Amino acid sequence: MEFLADDNTCGQTLLRLVSRGNAIIAELLRLSDFIPPVFKMETREEQEKYQYILPDFAYFRGNDFYDHKIDTSPMLQDLDEEFRENHMEILTRFYLAFESIYKFVTDLNKFLEDLEEGVYIQHTLEMVLFNGDGKQLTSEALYLYGVMLLILDMKIEGPIRERMLVAYHRYNASQTVDSSMDDVCKLLRSTGFVPGVPPKRPAKYPEEYFSRIPISQEFIEMVIGRLRSDDIYNQITNYPSPEHRSTALSTQASMLYIILFFSPHMLNTQQAKMREIVDKHFPDNWVISVYMGITVNLVDA
């Protein structure tokens, strides 16, 4: 049976997951151009005006304080109501995009659990990674999740995300009781990363960020193994010259750059494997395209 045949549930589930991943990234990139300026709190005037209306996650540690401030001030009540009317629609769209990242990784974990438990008859993780389409899609699913997290931190900074999530929670308290709000907040809380030239990177970033929702280490290591040893997109036959080897494997190199952050043990301690990866994928290529024009200089990274 073809892996991507219409009646192959395993292949179709994985294909839909990867398609969703690309759609989520496209939505994040779209929304990043429409962040309401007030959430950035760039001026002292805005900070003073909205400090009780738009708190960060400190709100969850002392919500009574913030609610009391608003309830006892008619001016703040009017400002709060006006803000809600003007921004509720865009806030909802941002929250749904944030929640879709959490749902993506939980669905990826569910797919891996179903594979392990034999839900997809005649398919195991080893068989999927042996199949040409299967190893492409499994690698892409993990890679796209990493890209989502990095793009989110680059385009919608941590403090902005926290203010948006708190505002959405305040204005939709009755609807968020049974939702994934807590888990979304844990995944997307500020990392301390500050984009710029050069960017400000906290210690162990982004490894700790990527580990906020655990993914099977066996799966991660098997995907890295495939990317290390195989030409999963069959490009080498189109680039027969040894000098063009890094060009042929450039797509895999970008995926490895992202996926290795899910395996900090290999990245930091397994020198032999990392030597092999660098010699094969990065011999003369230090600036890589991570996703559609987003580039990374490995010297700085």
Side-chain angles (χ1 to χ4, degrees):
M1 182 190 294
E2 287 286 330
F3 187 71
L4 296 181
D6 290 341
D7 56 349
N8 188 326
T9 309
C10 179
Q12 288 297 313
T13 300
L14 189 53
L15 181 61
R16 283 194 296 270
L17 190 65
V18 171
S19 300
R20 269 175 54 201
N22 283 293
I24 290 167
I25 292 173
E27 177 70 352
L28 290 173
L29 290 171
R30 273 194 298 269
L31 286 175
S32 67
D33 292 329
F34 296 97
I35 299 172
V38 65
F39 283 101
K40 299 179 181 180
M41 297 270 195
E42 291 178 332
T43 67
R44 185 176 182 84
E45 181 184 353
E46 285 179 339
Q47 292 171 9
E48 292 176 353
K49 183 177 180 180
Y50 292 102
Q51 60 178 323
Y52 301 116
I53 303 296
L54 295 177
D56 55 18
F57 279 5
Y59 174 84
F60 294 124
R61 297 190 295 272
N63 60 311
D64 291 341
F65 168 77
Y66 291 96
D67 292 342
H68 179 73
K69 279 283 187 182
I70 295 171
D71 292 341
T72 55
S73 170
M75 186 179 71
L76 285 177
Q77 288 178 15
D78 292 342
L79 182 63
D80 193 38
E81 187 59 35
E82 179 188 353
F83 187 87
R84 176 176 182 167
E85 290 176 3
N86 293 338
H87 294 88
M88 199 59 236
E89 185 177 346
I90 190 71
L91 267 179
T92 301
R93 190 167 167 186
F94 270 99
Y95 176 75
L96 292 176
F98 294 160
E99 188 180 45
S100 67
I101 300 173
Y102 169 74
K103 288 182 176 178
F104 179 88
V105 68
T106 53
D107 286 348
L108 174 59
N109 280 332
K110 179 68 165 58
F111 172 77
L112 296 174
E113 288 171 11
D114 289 346
L115 262 183
E116 187 176 347
E117 293 171 5
V119 172
Y120 303 111
I121 299 171
Q122 297 181 336
H123 287 291
T124 62
L125 180 57
E126 291 81 1
M127 291 174 63
V128 171
L129 285 169
F130 185 74
N131 178 274
D133 293 321
K135 63 187 173 187
Q136 288 179 18
L137 290 172
T138 47
S139 301
E140 287 171 14
L142 184 59
Y143 157 74
L144 288 171
Y145 174 55
V147 171
M148 288 175 210
L149 296 180
L150 288 183
I151 284 180
L152 196 67
D153 237 11
M154 282 188 242
K155 301 290 187 179
I156 310 173
E157 296 176 38
I160 296 173
R161 295 198 301 271
E162 291 192 359
R163 293 181 194 118
M164 287 180 168
L165 286 166
V166 169
Y168 182 83
H169 170 75
R170 286 184 55 241
Y171 297 142
N172 290 272
S174 59
Q175 297 177 26
T176 56
V177 172
D178 299 321
S179 73
S180 311
M181 186 69 174
D182 287 351
D183 296 311
V184 173
C185 288
K186 289 174 184 175
L187 174 61
L188 301 185
R189 70 182 185 273
S190 179
T191 61
F193 174 82
V194 179
V197 183
K200 178 186 174 185
R201 297 162 60 96
K204 297 183 180 179
Y205 178 91
E207 295 93 323
E208 288 188 351
Y209 182 30
F210 279 27
S211 66
R212 287 179 177 179
I213 294 183
I215 298 174
S216 165
Q217 276 300 309
E218 180 187 7
F219 164 68
I220 292 169
E221 289 178 10
M222 289 177 73
V223 167
I224 293 173
R226 278 296 173 200
L227 290 169
R228 275 173 51 211
S229 60
D230 292 3
D231 172 23
I232 68 171
Y233 293 107
N234 303 315
Q235 291 294 304
I236 289 180
T237 53
N238 300 320
Y239 296 89
S241 172
E243 294 180 2
H244 299 154
R245 182 60 56 88
S246 63
T247 304
L249 298 176
S250 59
T251 301
Q252 283 180 222
S254 298
M255 295 170 72
L256 268 170
Y257 168 76
I258 297 292
I259 292 173
L260 280 168
F261 288 125
F262 288 102
S263 182
H265 176 67
M266 182 183 295
L267 187 62
N268 296 316
T269 63
Q270 298 187 12
Q271 282 191 313
K273 290 180 180 178
M274 290 304 301
R275 180 79 264 167
E276 177 192 346
I277 289 171
V278 171
D279 288 345
K280 183 176 180 180
H281 295 86
F282 306 101
D284 56 0
N285 183 22
W286 295 96
V287 177
I288 59 173
S289 174
V290 173
Y291 189 89
M292 294 185 70
I294 298 173
T295 59
V296 172
N297 187 334
L298 298 181
V299 177
D300 297 332

